[in-house]
Amino acid sequence: MSAFQVVALSTDFANRVRTSLQAPQYKHPAHVETATGYGPCRHCLNTFQEGRENRVLFTYNPFQSGLTPLPGPVFIHEKDCTRFAGPGLPPDFQRLPLLLEGYNNQGRVVTLEKPALGTAAASIADLLANQEVAFIHIRNAEAGCFMARVERVL
């Protein structure tokens, strides 16, 4: 089984969004609203408390290097939260519908998988066992939006 880490948005990036209310990559305005969906926050990788927490919606492209332009909507908590930095999959991800996209070094999708609820960690390890897969993007299988990046732990 391949060891992996889930990479959330950096604290610096999240704080830039919160203070400027702009998408740092595009300068599009960000929007603050009370959570009407579960999210998750792309910084702490916890789901939102619907109707009780505010979240910031903004445009984000997970391909910082410009390999593949795939901008889309993402959310973070309006207030500071602690960036996810644990081993394995964030606990809230176990109960969310996920789509796993395995990319090669050129930014091309080489494999897609929609694991059953609660089985994503094993699916990620299987995808990373394929040496053609350089990294994985986790997307929401319902909305299609980017949630986090997965990298091998060497």
Side-chain angles (χ1 to χ4, degrees):
M1 196 179 254
S2 297
F4 65 87
Q5 65 181 3
V6 177
V7 181
L9 292 184
S10 75
T11 299
D12 178 62
F13 193 95
N15 286 339
R16 281 189 283 152
V17 173
R18 290 180 182 119
T19 57
S20 70
L21 286 181
Q22 284 188 330
Q25 297 164 311
Y26 299 98
K27 305 301 183 216
H28 297 160
H31 173 75
V32 178
E33 64 181 20
T34 301
T36 57
Y38 58 83
C41 172
R42 282 18 177 230
H43 181 251
C44 68
L45 302 182
N46 292 320
T47 55
F48 293 102
Q49 296 176 37
E50 296 175 47
R52 295 178 41 209
E53 292 182 302
N54 281 351
R55 61 187 183 178
V56 182
L57 168 67
F58 63 97
T59 304
Y60 177 72
N61 181 3
F63 287 98
Q64 301 286 333
S65 65
L67 285 174
T68 305
L70 283 175
V74 297
F75 295 100
I76 59 171
H77 281 104
E78 179 186 34
K79 297 185 182 207
D80 288 342
C81 56
T82 302
R83 183 177 188 235
F84 177 81
L89 206 59
D92 285 356
F93 281 33
Q94 298 295 337
R95 57 185 177 81
L96 300 178
L98 304 178
L99 178 65
L100 306 175
E101 299 174 325
Y103 287 87
N104 66 15
N105 285 321
Q106 289 75 45
R108 297 195 191 279
V109 175
V110 294
T111 186
L112 288 170
E113 186 171 328
K114 184 178 176 184
L117 287 179
T119 67
S123 294
I124 288 169
D126 288 346
L127 292 177
L128 290 175
N130 176 348
Q131 292 305 306
E132 192 177 4
V133 174
F135 59 92
I136 296 170
H137 281 177
I138 301 175
R139 291 188 173 270
N140 181 305
E142 292 175 335
C145 50
F146 174 81
M147 293 170 58
R149 179 180 168 115
V150 179
E151 298 174 347
R152 282 183 186 86
V153 173
L154 304 174

